[in-house]
Amino acid sequence: MARLHLFDLDGTLLHGTTAPVEISRQLGWEAETVALDRAISAGRIGPPEYAARVYELWGDLTDAHVDAAFRAAPWLTRIREVWAEIRNAGEYCAVVSLSPSFFVERLLDWGAHAAHGSRFPAVPFTEPVDPAGVLSAAAKVTVADRLCAEFGLARTDCVAYGDSSSDRDLFAAVPVSVAVNADACLAGLATHRYTGRDLWDAYELVAAAR
């Protein structure tokens, strides 16, 4: 039976940072966005408020800024090689993230079968962000269920990779999980734990255990 590998983005595929921080760095708003990351991690704000706040910071954002942020971001190594291996095995890989869809969807070019993020308007912004399109931890499970239906799979066929509280619901919903550079709370819930900067090594924990 094929499997669906579900990858978080912030802190997982991106080492020690988030897509919004990398985007904001291009505009000089890095410190403000790091503060927002701390606030949402501590539960002081929720995903809709977070999205509204970064949207306010990004009034001058262009596609060139997003491209530069994507290129300069500290990605784990061998992401494309892992996804190619998953495809060659007849399995599926997807990215599910609370970060903006206009950043997350760039990973389709790296070999992901699907990439889902919070829905933001097209860059440069000419309309507000819709809170209804902002993903949450629970919404990651909903997206996973939708992908399972699309690929003819079930939750029992899924493997989740994540690093923080936004991945707790997904880790609880699937049978196999990999905590990647994760906080202690999530690491305690995971089937496997990985610390490092090479996605291949994290993937091998799952491949070897199959």
Side-chain angles (χ1 to χ4, degrees):
M1 176 65 71
R3 294 182 298 181
L4 170 59
H5 298 258
L6 297 157
F7 295 89
D8 173 54
L9 173 64
D10 300 320
T12 303
L13 298 178
L14 287 174
H15 185 265
T17 188
T18 66
V21 167
E22 296 306 303
I23 293 166
S24 290
R25 181 174 288 123
Q26 299 297 319
L27 298 166
W29 296 114
E30 178 184 359
E32 290 78 0
T33 308
V34 168
L36 289 174
D37 278 5
R38 290 175 179 155
I40 195 171
S41 294
R44 297 194 300 272
I45 62 174
E49 182 179 350
Y50 180 95
R53 299 273 293 275
V54 293
Y55 173 88
E56 291 173 0
L57 296 176
W58 295 343
D60 297 325
L61 188 65
T62 66
D63 276 328
H65 290 127
V66 181
D67 287 341
F70 189 90
R71 289 194 305 270
W75 299 100
L76 294 192
T77 59
R78 295 201 284 183
I79 293 173
R80 280 171 278 199
E81 289 84 348
V82 167
W83 292 351
E85 180 69 14
I86 288 170
R87 282 179 170 270
N88 289 339
E91 299 186 340
Y92 302 92
C93 51
V95 182
V96 185
S97 171
L98 275 59
S99 278
S101 52
F102 60 74
F103 190 96
V104 179
E105 289 169 1
R106 280 168 162 76
L107 289 165
L108 293 170
D109 290 338
W110 285 16
H113 287 91
H116 292 271
S118 294
R119 291 198 307 273
F120 271 64
V123 176
F125 300 143
T126 58
E127 56 188 90
V129 61
D130 181 0
V134 177
L135 296 188
S136 63
K140 285 190 173 187
V141 180
T142 302
V143 172
D145 286 341
R146 188 163 66 244
L147 291 171
C148 283
E150 179 181 341
F151 299 135
L153 301 173
R155 287 187 188 180
T156 52
D157 304 312
C158 292
V159 180
Y161 303 74
D163 77 300
S164 67
S165 60
S166 70
D167 303 299
R168 286 175 62 97
D169 289 10
L170 189 57
F171 273 37
V174 304
V176 180
S177 54
V178 184
V180 179
N181 298 315
D183 58 35
C185 182
L186 190 74
L189 303 176
T191 313
H192 306 282
R193 286 159 291 280
Y194 171 73
T195 301
R197 301 196 62 165
D198 188 336
L199 187 63
W200 188 276
D201 292 341
Y203 168 69
E204 280 198 324
L205 296 174
V206 174
R210 183 164 188 184

PDB file of all heavy atoms in Angstrom, residues 170-185:
ATOM      1  N   LEU A 170      -2.185  16.702  13.810  1.00  0.00           N
ATOM      2  CA  LEU A 170      -1.851  15.783  12.727  1.00  0.00           C
ATOM      3  C   LEU A 170      -1.103  14.568  13.255  1.00  0.00           C
ATOM      4  O   LEU A 170      -1.372  13.434  12.849  1.00  0.00           O
ATOM      5  CB  LEU A 170      -1.020  16.510  11.664  1.00  0.00           C
ATOM      6  CG  LEU A 170      -0.779  15.750  10.359  1.00  0.00           C
ATOM      7  CD1 LEU A 170      -2.092  15.338   9.708  1.00  0.00           C
ATOM      8  CD2 LEU A 170       0.047  16.591   9.399  1.00  0.00           C
ATOM      9  N   PHE A 171      -0.183  14.776  14.181  1.00  0.00           N
ATOM     10  CA  PHE A 171       0.538  13.652  14.781  1.00  0.00           C
ATOM     11  C   PHE A 171      -0.430  12.700  15.478  1.00  0.00           C
ATOM     12  O   PHE A 171      -0.232  11.481  15.474  1.00  0.00           O
ATOM     13  CB  PHE A 171       1.589  14.153  15.775  1.00  0.00           C
ATOM     14  CG  PHE A 171       2.929  14.488  15.161  1.00  0.00           C
ATOM     15  CD1 PHE A 171       3.022  15.066  13.906  1.00  0.00           C
ATOM     16  CD2 PHE A 171       4.106  14.242  15.848  1.00  0.00           C
ATOM     17  CE1 PHE A 171       4.252  15.375  13.345  1.00  0.00           C
ATOM     18  CE2 PHE A 171       5.346  14.538  15.301  1.00  0.00           C
ATOM     19  CZ  PHE A 171       5.422  15.110  14.040  1.00  0.00           C
ATOM     20  N   ALA A 172      -1.463  13.255  16.083  1.00  0.00           N
ATOM     21  CA  ALA A 172      -2.442  12.424  16.786  1.00  0.00           C
ATOM     22  C   ALA A 172      -3.347  11.664  15.826  1.00  0.00           C
ATOM     23  O   ALA A 172      -3.926  10.639  16.198  1.00  0.00           O
ATOM     24  CB  ALA A 172      -3.295  13.286  17.719  1.00  0.00           C
ATOM     25  N   ALA A 173      -3.455  12.149  14.598  1.00  0.00           N
ATOM     26  CA  ALA A 173      -4.405  11.571  13.646  1.00  0.00           C
ATOM     27  C   ALA A 173      -3.809  10.474  12.780  1.00  0.00           C
ATOM     28  O   ALA A 173      -4.554   9.706  12.160  1.00  0.00           O
ATOM     29  CB  ALA A 173      -4.968  12.674  12.744  1.00  0.00           C
ATOM     30  N   VAL A 174      -2.477  10.395  12.702  1.00  0.00           N
ATOM     31  CA  VAL A 174      -1.846   9.428  11.814  1.00  0.00           C
ATOM     32  C   VAL A 174      -0.995   8.452  12.634  1.00  0.00           C
ATOM     33  O   VAL A 174      -0.573   8.774  13.750  1.00  0.00           O
ATOM     34  CB  VAL A 174      -0.989  10.130  10.736  1.00  0.00           C
ATOM     35  CG1 VAL A 174      -1.831  11.134   9.950  1.00  0.00           C
ATOM     36  CG2 VAL A 174       0.221  10.822  11.342  1.00  0.00           C
ATOM     37  N   PRO A 175      -0.703   7.270  12.080  1.00  0.00           N
ATOM     38  CA  PRO A 175      -0.008   6.249  12.880  1.00  0.00           C
ATOM     39  C   PRO A 175       1.495   6.430  12.995  1.00  0.00           C
ATOM     40  O   PRO A 175       2.110   5.899  13.926  1.00  0.00           O
ATOM     41  CB  PRO A 175      -0.338   4.950  12.141  1.00  0.00           C
ATOM     42  CG  PRO A 175      -0.528   5.375  10.716  1.00  0.00           C
ATOM     43  CD  PRO A 175      -1.174   6.736  10.789  1.00  0.00           C
ATOM     44  N   VAL A 176       2.108   7.149  12.056  1.00  0.00           N
ATOM     45  CA  VAL A 176       3.561   7.297  12.045  1.00  0.00           C
ATOM     46  C   VAL A 176       3.904   8.778  11.941  1.00  0.00           C
ATOM     47  O   VAL A 176       3.339   9.500  11.097  1.00  0.00           O
ATOM     48  CB  VAL A 176       4.207   6.530  10.878  1.00  0.00           C
ATOM     49  CG1 VAL A 176       5.729   6.707  10.897  1.00  0.00           C
ATOM     50  CG2 VAL A 176       3.843   5.051  10.926  1.00  0.00           C
ATOM     51  N   SER A 177       4.821   9.225  12.788  1.00  0.00           N
ATOM     52  CA  SER A 177       5.203  10.634  12.774  1.00  0.00           C
ATOM     53  C   SER A 177       6.692  10.771  13.044  1.00  0.00           C
ATOM     54  O   SER A 177       7.300   9.944  13.735  1.00  0.00           O
ATOM     55  CB  SER A 177       4.402  11.420  13.819  1.00  0.00           C
ATOM     56  OG  SER A 177       4.530  10.818  15.094  1.00  0.00           O
ATOM     57  N   VAL A 178       7.266  11.840  12.493  1.00  0.00           N
ATOM     58  CA  VAL A 178       8.684  12.128  12.677  1.00  0.00           C
ATOM     59  C   VAL A 178       8.811  13.549  13.208  1.00  0.00           C
ATOM     60  O   VAL A 178       8.426  14.508  12.525  1.00  0.00           O
ATOM     61  CB  VAL A 178       9.481  11.991  11.364  1.00  0.00           C
ATOM     62  CG1 VAL A 178      10.968  12.207  11.622  1.00  0.00           C
ATOM     63  CG2 VAL A 178       9.237  10.631  10.715  1.00  0.00           C
ATOM     64  N   ALA A 179       9.324  13.697  14.410  1.00  0.00           N
ATOM     65  CA  ALA A 179       9.592  15.010  14.977  1.00  0.00           C
ATOM     66  C   ALA A 179      10.944  15.482  14.443  1.00  0.00           C
ATOM     67  O   ALA A 179      11.970  14.849  14.701  1.00  0.00           O
ATOM     68  CB  ALA A 179       9.614  14.934  16.501  1.00  0.00           C
ATOM     69  N   VAL A 180      10.932  16.566  13.687  1.00  0.00           N
ATOM     70  CA  VAL A 180      12.142  17.079  13.042  1.00  0.00           C
ATOM     71  C   VAL A 180      12.573  18.364  13.752  1.00  0.00           C
ATOM     72  O   VAL A 180      11.871  19.377  13.697  1.00  0.00           O
ATOM     73  CB  VAL A 180      11.888  17.357  11.550  1.00  0.00           C
ATOM     74  CG1 VAL A 180      13.148  17.923  10.888  1.00  0.00           C
ATOM     75  CG2 VAL A 180      11.427  16.092  10.837  1.00  0.00           C
ATOM     76  N   ASN A 181      13.711  18.310  14.434  1.00  0.00           N
ATOM     77  CA  ASN A 181      14.192  19.471  15.196  1.00  0.00           C
ATOM     78  C   ASN A 181      13.065  20.047  16.050  1.00  0.00           C
ATOM     79  O   ASN A 181      12.858  21.269  16.107  1.00  0.00           O
ATOM     80  CB  ASN A 181      14.757  20.535  14.242  1.00  0.00           C
ATOM     81  CG  ASN A 181      15.945  20.021  13.463  1.00  0.00           C
ATOM     82  OD1 ASN A 181      16.846  19.393  14.007  1.00  0.00           O
ATOM     83  ND2 ASN A 181      15.951  20.268  12.155  1.00  0.00           N
ATOM     84  N   ALA A 182      12.341  19.175  16.710  1.00  0.00           N
ATOM     85  CA  ALA A 182      11.087  19.551  17.352  1.00  0.00           C
ATOM     86  C   ALA A 182      11.262  19.994  18.791  1.00  0.00           C
ATOM     87  O   ALA A 182      12.240  19.646  19.457  1.00  0.00           O
ATOM     88  CB  ALA A 182      10.111  18.374  17.299  1.00  0.00           C
ATOM     89  N   ASP A 183      10.261  20.744  19.267  1.00  0.00           N
ATOM     90  CA  ASP A 183      10.239  21.081  20.681  1.00  0.00           C
ATOM     91  C   ASP A 183       9.904  19.821  21.484  1.00  0.00           C
ATOM     92  O   ASP A 183       9.412  18.822  20.954  1.00  0.00           O
ATOM     93  CB  ASP A 183       9.267  22.214  20.970  1.00  0.00           C
ATOM     94  CG  ASP A 183       7.830  21.924  20.544  1.00  0.00           C
ATOM     95  OD1 ASP A 183       7.385  20.761  20.639  1.00  0.00           O
ATOM     96  OD2 ASP A 183       7.145  22.870  20.129  1.00  0.00           O
ATOM     97  N   ALA A 184      10.181  19.873  22.782  1.00  0.00           N
ATOM     98  CA  ALA A 184      10.050  18.682  23.623  1.00  0.00           C
ATOM     99  C   ALA A 184       8.625  18.161  23.657  1.00  0.00           C
ATOM    100  O   ALA A 184       8.399  16.946  23.698  1.00  0.00           O
ATOM    101  CB  ALA A 184      10.529  18.996  25.037  1.00  0.00           C
ATOM    102  N   CYS A 185       7.659  19.063  23.599  1.00  0.00           N
ATOM    103  CA  CYS A 185       6.252  18.664  23.670  1.00  0.00           C
ATOM    104  C   CYS A 185       5.880  17.782  22.484  1.00  0.00           C
ATOM    105  O   CYS A 185       5.283  16.711  22.660  1.00  0.00           O
ATOM    106  CB  CYS A 185       5.371  19.908  23.705  1.00  0.00           C
ATOM    107  SG  CYS A 185       3.615  19.551  23.840  1.00  0.00           S
TER     108      CYS A 185
END
